[in-house]
Amino acid sequence: MQLYYHPLYSALTLPERHRFPIQKYQKLKAEIEGLGLTPNNFTSPIKATPAQLSLCHNQTYINNFLNGTLSNKAIKKMGFPYSNELVERTLLSVGASIQSSEHALKHGFSANLSGGYHHAYSDYGSGFCIFNDLAIAAAHLINTEQADTVLIFDCDVHQGDGTAQITQNHNQIITCSIHCEQNFPLNKQESTYDFALPAKTADDEYLATLKQALDFCVRIHNPDIILYNAGADIYTKDELGLFNISLNGVYERDLFVLNFCKQHQIPLMCALGGGYQRNLSSLINVHKQLFKAAIDL
């Protein structure tokens, strides 16, 4: 199992009480090492290039972010204070999703211990997402002729609105978002397929929808690879969630996706996605279900 990780994922200095749980990446790595993984399971990513970013993002926006000339309004919408370490961390996170996708294509499975930045639009960042790593990874695989059809399967509790906007004219990138109808963003975009479930949705309804959605997307589109946003914010105790999914429900979701891809011999790349609990150990335990499922397969 190859996992992409960099210490800079958690090295961002944020204001006290900032809503984003930046320490989760470092602590999650330590937790999954306890599942029996060795240093050989972890690869340090290389930074995404401006050319790779430009596959999905407006050149002016890319330049403004890299050069530190974003407006205050744009920085506020992004959700993070601007800094050089934010630039480095962002490029490493996106680079990791690209490299993880390439590894999954060759070896069947890989994961980025970051990523899932699905609220990033082509010309601005939003909701803690600056560049849309899964859209970029998908476009890169197609642009380099490593894949013909890529499915972005988004199971974060929030709709992948930026992904939908960026890929609307990319016929080879299929987007499927299973999310909470009443949650952020207020104005939803149109994915290839949207499964908007009501607040308080519990395990049975969620898992039934998940299974139907993934089976349908694969039967219709026969993707060469699936890029999976394994958001931990579907969990019932997530503070920005609204679903009533148990910890076992999260595990069953991840196990189903991993097992489905294995059974159908479809390469799978996973990104962490969102997760918002002040109780960091509880949050990490939700993210850890993905790696428990991978080991259990």
Side-chain angles (χ1 to χ4, degrees), residues 157-288:
V157 79
H158 306 104
Q159 194 212 25
D161 56 332
T163 310
Q165 181 263 334
I166 284 172
T167 62
Q168 61 193 352
N169 297 317
H170 278 272
N171 294 333
Q172 292 164 272
I173 303 175
I174 311 304
T175 57
C176 178
S177 180
I178 304 174
H179 54 267
C180 178
E181 192 172 13
Q182 289 87 352
N183 214 320
F184 177 89
L186 178 62
N187 298 314
K188 307 289 192 285
Q189 298 295 315
E190 195 172 319
S191 311
T192 315
Y193 304 105
D194 284 298
F195 295 85
L197 296 169
K200 299 189 169 32
T201 292
D203 291 16
D204 289 351
E205 184 186 354
Y206 183 87
L207 292 169
T209 303
L210 172 90
K211 292 171 183 179
Q212 290 170 0
L214 185 55
D215 182 68
F216 175 81
C217 287
V218 167
R219 275 192 295 110
I220 297 297
H221 298 285
N222 192 26
D224 297 304
I225 185 171
I226 294 174
L227 310 185
Y228 172 43
N229 184 346
D233 44 14
I234 66 165
Y235 179 52
T236 186
K237 292 183 181 174
D238 195 274
E239 287 146 32
L240 301 181
L242 304 182
F243 278 164
N244 288 348
I245 311 293
S246 70
L247 190 64
N248 186 62
V250 176
Y251 173 81
E252 290 293 336
R253 175 197 69 173
D254 293 339
L255 185 66
F256 177 80
V257 173
L258 270 63
N259 190 46
F260 183 97
C261 291
K262 187 176 182 181
Q263 296 293 327
H264 290 79
Q265 297 182 307
I266 304 169
L268 176 68
M269 177 269 169
C270 305
L272 279 196
Y276 304 93
Q277 294 181 67
R278 298 279 184 199
N279 183 334
L280 210 53
S281 61
S282 175
L283 171 59
I284 287 155
N285 196 31
V286 184
H287 279 301
K288 194 167 78 170

Side-chain angles (χ1 to χ4, degrees), residues 111-123:
N112 179 10
L113 263 67
S114 176
Y117 299 122
H118 62 169
H119 298 310
Y121 280 67
S122 57
D123 55 351

Side-chain angles (χ1 to χ4, degrees), residues 1 32 34-37 109 251 255 258 288-297:
M1 187 192 318
I32 59 179
L35 296 174
L37 300 181
F109 178 81
Y251 173 81
L255 185 66
L258 270 63
K288 194 167 78 170
Q289 301 309 305
L290 174 67
F291 303 97
K292 285 176 68 177
I295 288 167
D296 288 349
L297 265 186

